[in-house]
Amino acid sequence: MAKLGVGIIGSGAIALANHVPGLALCRETALVALCDANPAVLARASQETGLEVTFEDYTALLAHPAVDAVIITTPNHLHPPIALAAIAAGKHVLCEKPLALNFDQARQMYEAAHTARVRHMTAFTYRFVPAMRYMTHLVESGAIGQPYHFRANRLQDWGGRGLGWRQVMALAGSGELGDMLSHRLDYGLAMLGPISRLVASSRRFVDERGGQPSDVEDWVSVLADFEVGATGVLESSKLATGRGEGGQSQDYCEINGSEASLVYYLERPHELQIGRPGGAGLEKLPVPTEFLKWPGSGRDPAQGDPLVTFRYDQDFEFVDAILNDRPCRPSFREGAQVQAIMEAILQSAQESRWVEPTRI
């Protein structure tokens, strides 16, 4: 049986760090082509992967007969045209978040993929953290009782360094909101369901990064009401001095319910903390073995850096959904719903009022 052929469009750091090693763990899959508009980036990716089939034009990659599915890791403004072209060509699509620059584009991507009956997936990478998966399971199973409060934050110290296309509104659609808070919004929706209304604020403190103008926000905060009755408080910043970056910076999620509270820190991906009624404080709650990797994944949770290797499971989920002709988790639908929430946040911050997000 021929292996599933996957092409990567956008061959920079995210592709090499997350998706190439993730695909390598999928036995039924072969990385067959790379694409990037930047010749230097493409050459580096070709050298690191040993793959000689490369393209600077994504339409050429989509026309390659060995490509059955694509992973899109380009700047945000390129997601919609590439994804729509891939869908029209009958390719399955895994796209980095946020899906698009606005909700209308994201909805168009979802509807096109759904109509074409191709597999579609949004790369909400942190869905695959073992502790987050276990937390979601406990909430869904009723272990915390009636949910009262959800809070999440992502605090990093990027200072005034250049962010490239991520600091340009026309290319990114938003700043810290799309880059980091989108993941935490996905946390909340995955655990508690729809947000009925929200009010938000955002600020740009750094107007110039790396000698170039920046016109996106570098801090955003949201107060939300969920339809289940729980409250939500979310905050994300690139200017939390001294917090560092990546897995060692502050990535925190807490949910309080009538029967228990649960706390998650990214720096401890195999552990939760739990608070029980009448308890003297939070207790450690190890993640059970069955939650240390995505169901069916061949990844060994004991191997490698757990702050990195959980990311590989998203590629397994994409491939497994294709091979078994089932929906991906999370799909373009979840990606479009987060995009709707983001649009409501931007509107609320601009108009200083509560907004009811669009539902898909």
Side-chain angles (χ1 to χ4, degrees), residues 9-351:
I9 303 174
S11 301
I14 294 297
L16 294 176
N18 293 353
H19 298 294
V20 170
L23 291 173
L25 294 176
C26 300
R27 296 178 180 177
E28 303 90 347
T29 307
L31 177 60
V32 296
L34 298 170
C35 177
D36 203 284
N38 186 322
V41 171
L42 189 58
R44 177 190 170 195
S46 177
Q47 182 178 18
E48 289 198 17
T49 61
L51 189 60
E52 297 181 355
V53 181
T54 63
F55 304 92
E56 294 181 23
D57 180 353
Y58 69 83
T59 60
L61 180 143
L62 294 176
H64 193 285
V67 174
D68 303 304
V70 297
I71 298 174
I72 302 172
T73 63
T74 64
N76 300 344
H77 73 293
L78 295 174
H79 292 175
I82 296 174
L84 291 172
I87 292 165
K91 313 298 183 184
H92 308 287
V93 186
L94 166 57
C95 185
E96 280 293 332
K97 59 79 220 166
L99 280 185
L101 297 183
N102 56 59
F103 173 62
D104 284 342
Q105 290 178 343
R107 178 166 54 188
Q108 183 184 7
M109 292 166 65
Y110 164 62
E111 291 176 348
H114 181 72
T115 300
R117 299 183 64 84
V118 298
R119 298 303 103 200
H120 48 92
M121 182 173 171
T122 306
F124 284 127
T125 314
Y126 296 91
R127 281 264 194 124
F128 297 85
V129 178
M132 277 303 307
R133 291 187 54 236
Y134 187 41
M135 176 182 273
T136 302
H137 166 75
L138 290 173
V139 173
E140 290 177 344
S141 69
I144 71 165
Q146 172 64 37
Y148 292 147
H149 312 303
F150 168 81
R151 63 187 62 85
N153 60 50
R154 183 66 160 134
L155 304 178
Q156 298 188 87
D157 179 10
W158 290 48
R161 85 167 206 232
L163 304 177
W165 61 265
R166 288 179 176 82
Q167 69 191 55
V168 181
M169 180 70 73
L171 305 182
S174 63
E176 185 67 2
L177 172 59
D179 192 23
M180 289 294 159
L181 196 66
S182 59
H183 285 294
R184 282 80 219 169
L185 292 168
D186 182 59
Y187 288 176
L189 295 177
M191 283 192 288
L192 295 175
I195 290 173
S196 58
R197 66 170 190 158
L198 60 83
V199 65
S201 181
S202 67
R203 288 277 300 276
R204 180 176 65 254
F205 292 91
V206 180
D207 295 326
E208 183 178 287
R209 290 180 172 276
Q212 299 295 321
S214 175
D215 64 350
V216 299
E217 81 288 344
D218 40 40
W219 170 85
V220 60
S221 184
V222 182
L223 180 65
D225 288 336
F226 289 86
E227 288 187 3
V228 296
T231 64
V233 179
L234 303 95
E235 182 185 22
S236 197
S237 176
K238 280 189 165 49
L239 298 172
T241 301
R243 285 289 194 176
E245 300 175 27
Q248 299 300 328
S249 60
Q250 173 86 347
D251 185 349
Y252 163 87
C253 176
E254 178 170 345
I255 186 162
N256 309 125
S258 59
E259 302 301 321
S261 291
L262 299 172
V263 176
Y264 148 84
Y265 289 93
L266 176 60
E267 63 196 67
R268 297 192 288 276
H270 291 175
E271 173 191 304
L272 290 176
Q273 295 179 42
I274 187 168
R276 307 178 192 274
L282 298 175
E283 308 167 15
K284 290 183 180 180
L285 183 64
V287 173
T289 302
E290 61 266 33
F291 290 94
L292 292 180
K293 64 177 183 177
W294 199 253
S297 169
R299 180 176 64 86
D300 182 351
Q303 296 296 315
D305 182 352
L307 289 175
V308 174
T309 56
F310 73 85
R311 303 166 193 270
Y312 307 159
D313 283 353
Q314 66 185 334
D315 298 280
F316 169 80
E317 164 61 13
F318 179 51
V319 168
D320 190 65
I322 295 170
L323 296 178
N324 290 287
D325 194 27
R326 61 167 179 80
C328 298
R329 298 173 294 167
S331 70
F332 277 11
R333 188 178 190 278
E334 284 93 334
Q337 189 59 70
V338 168
Q339 197 88 44
I341 304 295
M342 290 169 53
E343 199 154 285
I345 289 170
L346 292 172
Q347 180 183 357
S348 176
Q350 182 177 11
E351 300 176 3

